[in-house]
Amino acid sequence: MSETQEMTFSEVKSHNNKKDLYLVIHDKVYDATEFIDEHPGGEEVLIDVGGQDATEAFEDVGHSDEARTILDGLLKGTLKRQVLYPQSFLLSVSCHVSNLSLYPSLTPPTLSQPGDPEHPSTTPPGTVTQSSSADGTGMGVMFYALVLLGGGLAFGAYKYLQAKSAGEAGK
């Protein structure tokens, strides 16, 4: 196998037919052109996801270890995901950091190229998404606060009863 290369979705999406077929699975690019006639599920299945991210389709089928080994032999390269931050985020970064050359880790990311699908990890830091509130994090914080409040009330009641019984013992 030759050396792997980095490819963008724009480069991968043009490889979508029987004579030139690339697939993206778990951010790795595979050249399935030579395997298309050998695929046990038929060529249509591969052509349907040709030039696209086929991770979900690949995992939904539940491929065997042998299929994953075959996949390793088809590796062409890795997918170069490009982060797309909203303009409002970039403006807030530039407002807070007047000279980005002093902070090389804060240099603005390159924008995605046309045709690149959105990736779940491209949400800018600090952005609240609908999924983050639905994953139970909010309930965990609320439960923690409730336990803390209950503990405080129990401690207060304990001290009150202790003081009350000490007062009665002194009589």
Side-chain angles (χ1 to χ4, degrees), residues 7 11-17 20-23 49-52:
M7 301 177 76
E11 294 168 322
V12 172
K13 73 178 181 180
S14 63
H15 302 272
N16 59 3
N17 60 64
D20 183 23
L21 188 71
Y22 285 10
L23 308 170
V49 293
Q52 303 173 43

Side-chain angles (χ1 to χ4, degrees), residues 73-138:
L74 303 175
L75 184 64
K76 180 75 174 174
T78 58
L79 185 66
K80 180 180 180 182
R81 291 230 186 236
Q82 296 171 324
V83 180
L84 176 60
Y85 288 125
Q87 188 65 30
S88 59
F89 173 74
L90 295 176
L91 288 174
S92 71
V93 168
S94 64
C95 289
H96 294 294
V97 181
S98 59
N99 189 350
L100 287 177
S101 64
L102 296 175
Y103 306 96
S105 64
L106 292 177
T107 54
T110 55
L111 299 178
S112 66
Q113 295 184 10
D116 286 2
E118 194 171 315
H119 189 269
S121 66
T122 60
T123 305
T127 302
V128 177
T129 61
Q130 193 171 20
S131 64
S132 67
S133 62
D135 67 1
T137 305

Side-chain angles (χ1 to χ4, degrees), residues 30 35 38 40 65-75:
Y30 298 95
F35 181 71
E38 301 169 30
D65 291 339
E66 182 183 354
R68 293 174 192 278
T69 303
I70 292 170
L71 197 60
D72 289 340
L74 303 175
L75 184 64

